[in-house]
Amino acid sequence: MIVTTAALFKVAYGKFAVGAYNINNMEQALGLFQGHMEAEAPFIIQISKGARKYAGIPMIEAIIRAAEKLYPDVIYAVHLDHGDEQTCYDCIDSGFYSSVMIDASHEPFDENVAITRRVVERAHAKGISVEAELGMLGGVEENIAVDEKHAMLTDPDEAKTFVEQTGCDSLAVAIGTSHGAYKFTGHQSLHFDRIEAIQNLLPNYPLVMHGSSSVPQEEVERINAAGGALDPSARGVDANEFQRAAQLGVTKVNIDTDGRLVWTRVHREYFHDKPAEFDFRKPGTVFVAEYAKFIVDKSERLGSVGKLAETRAGVS
Ligand code: G3H
Ligand code: 13P
Ligand code: ZN
């Protein structure tokens, strides 16, 4: 059942985080739905501009609808990830999306406000909620000064003003994470002091954490042992910190890179071990099972495992 993102946030806020996963193909959809059924966890499917281009807009929507026929009991929202203004309008008008993200974080503050406000007006007229972004989402490297690190994080006062001026329903904040496999040099913690400061000014307001993949070292090592050439210094977010962040208002946790690593590990190992094989359905089947397992593990870390009944009661 597709529900509004706002309804999921209402159930989850302060208690657990909802995993938001990007999908691009059928195998990811199968693993995503199967894993969430097993975990009994609600979730958010994210579609990026790149995914809309790769699969084609009707195809990506049809894949999701078909997956729901196979797993009719799951509860999820459909979200546009990192949209520009026009793509937000296209998704709002399509009637398929529960929420859109307008990413104008690269613009100066006032321009970000103006663009986000326009999208909020169009989205709210159709009952769709809007995620916006404020701050510089970037790898916070160990070798830069503490002051410099803090300057890259979302400023709590600015966040409050931004939300008041735009009316956006959730905010992606820079709290020490970045996209992709190369987030940090060495282990780093989320900036809990900053999350708490934002929550103090925006109580009961859902925050979003982008760049939340963990980039497990074992995954990187297995990919490289099977012929890959990923930089072994790749590091990600410690998934054991998700629940503490959730208690401080981080209600949506975006994960894409880790799923790509599962795909790459499964396919590299399969064809490395069976070089004469060319039936792609065989590694595809392995991937669906491994991806479902991965989703169960993430749901445990997010605290969303076993929350399906509570979510069903909360959204109906
Ligand atoms: O944050 C971006 C997501 O990982 C989606 O990536 O734009 O390559 O589909 P993509
Ligand atoms: P990762 O690259 O850490 O998976 O982040 C994904 C993301 O933020 C999608 O919006
Ligand atoms: Zn992102």
Side-chain angles (χ1 to χ4, degrees), residues 1-3 23 26 29-30 32-34 37 43 45 60-78 96 98 312:
M1 173 173 52
I2 297 183
V3 298
I23 75 157
M26 177 194 80
L30 287 173
L32 194 64
F33 278 70
Q34 187 187 312
M37 200 57 245
F43 62 105
I45 293 184
I60 201 83
E61 295 186 7
I63 287 172
I64 294 168
R65 293 282 188 206
E68 182 170 338
K69 288 203 173 116
L70 295 172
Y71 297 96
D73 293 330
V74 297
I75 297 179
Y76 64 103
V78 178
F96 184 64
S98 315
R312 186 166 290 110

Side-chain angles (χ1 to χ4, degrees), residues 18 65 67 95 103-105 108 118 125 170 186 203 206 230 233 238 240 254 258 263 284-285 289 302 313:
V18 183
R65 293 282 188 206
D103 183 357
S105 57
R118 288 199 292 271
S170 60
L230 297 180
S233 72
D238 182 349
N240 295 316
N254 286 13
D258 280 352
W263 191 97
T285 304
L302 292 161

Side-chain angles (χ1 to χ4, degrees), residues 46-311:
Q46 306 214 107
I47 304 173
S48 70
K49 278 189 291 172
R52 285 161 63 86
K53 190 167 170 212
Y54 173 68
I57 295 165
M59 181 64 81
I60 201 83
E61 295 186 7
I63 287 172
I64 294 168
R65 293 282 188 206
E68 182 170 338
K69 288 203 173 116
L70 295 172
Y71 297 96
D73 293 330
V74 297
I75 297 179
Y76 64 103
V78 178
H79 177 80
L80 168 68
D81 190 30
H82 292 285
D84 54 32
E85 192 170 355
Q86 187 53 51
T87 311
C88 284
Y89 297 151
D90 293 347
C91 293
I92 291 164
D93 293 340
S94 81
F96 184 64
Y97 289 73
S98 315
S99 51
V100 294
M101 176 194 188
I102 174 68
D103 183 357
S105 57
H106 46 281
E107 300 284 357
F109 184 87
D110 288 344
E111 187 59 16
N112 190 356
V113 168
I115 296 169
T116 303
R117 255 177 87 156
R118 288 199 292 271
V119 173
V120 167
E121 266 169 37
R122 285 268 293 258
H124 284 185
K126 297 221 168 165
I128 291 165
S129 49
V130 177
E131 173 184 324
E133 179 170 326
L134 185 66
M136 203 193 302
L137 208 75
V140 180
E141 300 298 338
E142 271 176 340
N143 56 355
I144 69 168
V146 173
D147 284 358
E148 215 177 317
K149 266 185 202 173
H150 284 185
M152 294 169 73
L153 305 176
T154 300
D155 177 81
D157 292 307
E158 274 194 2
K160 185 176 170 18
T161 307
F162 185 85
V163 169
E164 282 167 0
Q165 291 186 355
T166 62
C168 64
D169 305 278
S170 60
L171 189 66
V173 285
I175 45 179
T177 65
S178 66
H179 291 106
Y182 305 103
K183 300 186 195 300
F184 313 119
T185 52
H187 178 270
Q188 291 209 26
S189 190
L190 297 175
H191 289 256
F192 286 106
D193 49 346
R194 188 57 64 108
I195 308 174
E196 206 170 345
I198 298 170
Q199 193 198 34
N200 284 338
L201 292 183
L202 289 169
N204 298 313
Y205 186 86
L207 304 175
V208 178
M209 186 162 78
H210 282 246
S212 310
S213 280
S214 299
V215 194
Q217 255 175 291
E218 193 208 334
E219 205 73 295
V220 172
E221 280 161 16
R222 285 177 69 174
I223 288 168
N224 287 348
L230 297 180
D231 181 341
S233 72
R235 292 286 181 282
V237 174
D238 182 349
N240 295 316
E241 295 188 339
F242 288 165
Q243 292 199 41
R244 187 173 161 206
Q247 281 156 15
L248 295 172
V250 173
T251 315
K252 174 171 176 275
V253 167
N254 286 13
I255 297 167
D256 186 20
T257 296
D258 280 352
R260 295 181 183 197
L261 293 177
V262 174
W263 191 97
T264 305
R265 182 249 302 164
V266 166
H267 290 82
R268 278 207 177 274
E269 285 186 345
Y270 190 87
F271 289 114
H272 179 267
D273 294 348
K274 298 184 174 54
E277 188 60 76
F278 56 90
D279 182 351
F280 53 79
R281 292 170 300 189
K282 292 178 181 170
T285 304
V286 178
F287 169 73
V288 170
E290 287 292 295
Y291 195 55
K293 208 165 90 185
F294 159 89
I295 291 292
V296 172
D297 177 65
K298 289 288 184 203
S299 305
E300 279 163 4
R301 312 297 182 106
L302 292 161
S304 62
V305 76
K307 294 285 196 282
L308 207 54
E310 188 183 331
T311 305

